Amino acid sequence: MKGTFPVYSDLCPGFRGEDPAAGRMSLAAYCVMCCRRLGTSTPPPKNNTYWKDIRNIIKFTGSLILGGSLFLTYEIRALKKSLTLDTQVVEKEKMKSYIYVHTVSLDKRENHGITYQARKELHKAVRKVLAISARILQGPFADTFATFDVEDHECAVWLLLKKSQSDDRAARLQAVREMVAAHPWHGNETVRAHGPAFPTWKEGSKNYQFRTIAQACDLRTLTGLARSKESDPRFFLPPPPLPPLKEDSSIEEELRHLLASLPQTELDECIQYFTSLALSESSQSLAAQKGGLWSFGGNGLPYAESFGEVPSATVEMFFLEALVKHSEIPTHCDKIEANGGLQLLQRLYQLYKDSPKVQRGIMRVVGNMALNEHLHSTIVRSGWVSILAAAVKSPDIMEASHAARALANLDRETVAEKYQDGVYVLHPQHRTSQPIKADVLFIHGLMGAAFKTWRQQDSDQVLTEKVSEDETRYTTCWPKTWLASDCPALRIISVEYDTSLSEWRARCPSERKSIAFRSNELLRKLRAAGVGDRPVIWVSHSMGGLLVKKMLLEASQRPEMSSVINNTRGILFYSVPHHGSHLAEYSVSVRYLLFPSLEVKELSKDSPALKTLQDDFVKFAKDRNLQVLSFVETLPTSIGSMIRLHVVPVESADLGIGDLIPVDVNHLNICKPKKKDAFLYQRTLQFIRETLAKDLEN
């Protein structure tokens, strides 16, 4: 009948049992036919057939929704089950020191089919939902998946690691700070440097978080952690095992092979000297160890206090001095790395753990190699960052400063400057939020050094009296201990260069020891360290003051060094012989000055070069309106066992401008205050603060 719907049994005889095959007509086809008739037919009469069809459609839709829900529930429960971890398994895995690598099945049959692809996309979507939930709630999962057996801070660890590899530099720096800050996994227990051989379950669970970061963080993050003052030592994995030495070989022979493998041609005379000295002394030492002859001739190396022992540390110091010189050449650094030098130096470092001098020499080589950015990944992989991270926290200022230099050269994230050999940052030695507003540079004099020249005056009274530990305790470097505390906004740099009193001990050609040559070399190194980018005060002792004057005059003639001149605010001189010293006059009388070095000769009162330097600098200082403060000794200095000499008299220390203050000390102690509240230090501090007052306020 027109306008009526046939019932399902009329269209499908099989539904009444007449034709089973026809009964398998899809319900979907029937729905389509019904919909078409609804759109073309006249309004149906109000009867039970219409509502019966509607009920059939609802039954179909409900069945479809129910079936889909069951499928989704099954897949989600399967995924949930795969993500649920057993608590005991997690705790056991936390004790291990390795990480898992995601594996992919090699069976291609598992990677085909529409069912596999559908499940893969579904799982991917669920994982994305879980990740978003973790990020929003700062927890591992929402309530539905609370059985994922991971603590809240474990999710935070991975979020920090992801943040530390962000393209945003500020985000990376913030991630490192958050790692170093009070972690949820730190707990309240004190970390022991030498714990039990088998840690407890609680300790293993806690250490797991640090090992996670140690194994997963990149080079930048690891270096940042090493340069963070409060970083936990558990952030750093121990160095990898060292390769065994070759059969019938010693570490001294390995050092000899390494040095011999470096280019020996087209070297300056200084490097040639150190290389030939190390190789020759090694030959004599090895001959002695193998029962050969002892050294005859040569430079008379004092091998032993007895004939039964060869002091190999002395020989190895020759090797280190030669390697330091070679490592100043980038192409030689590549050779050192390619020939296993980093591992060999690490073996030597461990062998001489009780010899600070040897360890400092090794860190000098590593610090020089770190100037080459393409070697950074190799240095990190060889385990040197963990060694340097421990050394930079050493109470020994020299050890900490050598490590700080190497780490600063590795840290290209926050350090734009490069610290070449002999340039040491005393403050700050770690990453800091304190803005640095000015530089103070310390330049030692004849026979001085970057650290020992600036130590507190040696005195039994200072060592034994009861004083405040924080402010006036004995220090081996008062700029590092006192000045950094009083003026934290300063970058404090100390430089070191080799000097000698006599040509008997000269180790490089004389022309390399002249004031002119040294000033050019130091100026180049200091500019690479960023000196001139901010206000500067120069602090010098003895011959160091002459170098400062020469450097400033040289910089004033070179346009690329104009920033050094423009930012120089003042100079502080400790007994600088502007008009010469009596030291050269006694060169014939003093036993070890029979052949005075070039440095000593240049200090002669009748030196034309010294007079020209003085006249030119006074004019320069007046034109630039530089602030100048000078101290001068009033007591003689003992040289040897028989000579007492007034090294720099008052008239020679008078620059002609600025204040000149006599102090009742000898030449060696003029730059070594007795205590923090002594006049010598307090007046120095006052000069620095007044000269930089405007710069420190900004």
Side-chain angles (χ1 to χ4, degrees), residues 264-303:
Q264 306 295 323
T265 58
E266 299 182 0
L267 302 177
D268 65 41
E269 295 182 38
C270 239
I271 300 179
Q272 289 179 1
Y273 168 82
F274 282 107
T275 302
S276 61
L277 178 63
L279 294 176
S280 63
E281 297 298 350
S282 173
S283 298
Q284 298 175 49
S285 174
L286 290 173
Q289 292 179 45
K290 296 179 180 180
L293 296 175
W294 285 91
S295 172
F296 292 97
N299 71 338
L301 175 66
Y303 278 124

Side-chain angles (χ1 to χ4, degrees), residues 631-642:
F631 294 99
V632 60
E633 78 242 29
T634 61
L635 301 180
T637 303
S638 297
I639 301 178
S641 58
M642 300 178 62

Side-chain angles (χ1 to χ4, degrees), residues 211-494:
R211 280 199 294 270
T212 298
I213 291 181
Q215 295 178 95
C217 67
D218 58 9
L219 181 153
R220 291 181 304 198
T221 305
L222 187 64
T223 304
L225 290 171
R227 294 198 68 238
S228 300
K229 188 174 184 179
E230 304 299 331
S231 62
D232 193 291
R234 291 175 291 181
F235 277 127
F236 310 100
L237 296 174
L242 296 173
L245 290 174
K246 297 178 182 178
E247 188 176 357
D248 298 330
S249 179
S250 66
I251 193 168
E252 185 178 329
E253 289 176 307
E254 293 294 325
L255 284 169
R256 178 182 176 85
H257 292 155
L258 175 62
L259 188 59
S261 69
L262 301 179
Q264 306 295 323
T265 58
E266 299 182 0
L267 302 177
D268 65 41
E269 295 182 38
C270 239
I271 300 179
Q272 289 179 1
Y273 168 82
F274 282 107
T275 302
S276 61
L277 178 63
L279 294 176
S280 63
E281 297 298 350
S282 173
S283 298
Q284 298 175 49
S285 174
L286 290 173
Q289 292 179 45
K290 296 179 180 180
L293 296 175
W294 285 91
S295 172
F296 292 97
N299 71 338
L301 175 66
Y303 278 124
E305 296 177 358
S306 67
F307 285 96
E309 181 180 354
V310 177
S312 58
T314 304
V315 178
E316 281 148 4
M317 278 306 302
F318 284 117
F319 280 115
L320 287 176
E321 289 179 339
L323 286 174
V324 166
K325 296 299 180 184
H326 279 278
S327 62
E328 293 178 353
I329 305 174
T331 55
H332 291 210
C333 289
D334 295 338
K335 290 283 187 181
I336 294 174
E337 183 273 325
N339 294 329
L342 288 170
Q343 290 77 19
L344 184 58
L345 290 172
Q346 195 174 122
R347 186 185 300 278
L348 189 64
Y349 189 91
Q350 296 174 359
L351 181 63
Y352 288 99
K353 59 183 179 181
D354 296 325
S355 177
K357 187 176 182 180
V358 171
Q359 292 192 333
R360 291 196 300 269
I362 294 171
M363 284 191 284
R364 284 179 67 187
V365 178
V366 176
N368 288 348
M369 295 181 69
L371 291 168
N372 305 280
E373 294 186 32
H374 66 280
L375 295 178
H376 285 187
S377 60
T378 306
I379 294 173
V380 173
R381 287 198 306 269
S382 64
W384 270 106
V385 171
S386 61
I387 296 174
L388 296 172
V392 78
K393 294 183 178 181
S394 169
D396 184 281
I397 291 178
M398 286 191 286
E399 180 183 359
S401 299
H402 279 78
R405 169 182 169 256
L407 286 173
N409 286 336
L410 286 173
D411 186 8
R412 297 298 91 190
E413 186 85 318
T414 62
V415 182
E417 304 84 7
K418 291 190 175 183
Y419 299 101
Q420 300 187 25
D421 187 46
V423 180
Y424 301 99
V425 177
L426 303 181
H427 173 81
Q429 293 185 340
H430 303 89
R431 285 188 177 182
T432 177
S433 58
Q434 168 71 53
I436 302 301
K437 300 181 178 181
D439 291 339
V440 177
L441 311 180
F442 287 81
I443 317 293
H444 68 78
L446 193 64
M447 299 301 293
F451 306 99
K452 72 176 184 179
T453 293
W454 313 106
R455 69 183 184 273
Q456 184 176 351
Q457 184 175 326
D458 301 328
S459 170
D460 293 338
Q461 181 182 3
V462 173
L463 293 174
T464 59
E465 66 181 353
K466 296 181 180 180
V467 294
S468 169
E469 182 178 353
D470 293 333
E471 293 187 357
T472 54
R473 61 180 180 179
Y474 182 82
T475 174
T476 56
C477 185
W478 60 262
K480 169 75 170 67
T481 307
W482 297 345
L483 185 59
S485 175
D486 289 332
C487 300
L490 298 178
R491 181 178 65 157
I492 305 172
I493 293 178
S494 185

Side-chain angles (χ1 to χ4, degrees), residues 153-165:
H153 58 259
E154 294 187 39
C155 183
V157 168
W158 290 104
L159 291 177
L160 281 177
L161 283 168
K162 181 66 175 177
K163 187 176 179 180
S164 70
Q165 298 176 13

Side-chain angles (χ1 to χ4, degrees), residues 668-687:
L668 298 179
N669 290 332
I670 189 64
C671 55
K672 299 176 179 62
K674 284 186 177 181
K675 294 186 295 184
K676 188 176 181 180
D677 59 0
F679 169 77
L680 196 57
Y681 173 72
Q682 290 299 321
R683 185 65 182 90
T684 297
L685 179 62
Q686 178 186 353
F687 175 79

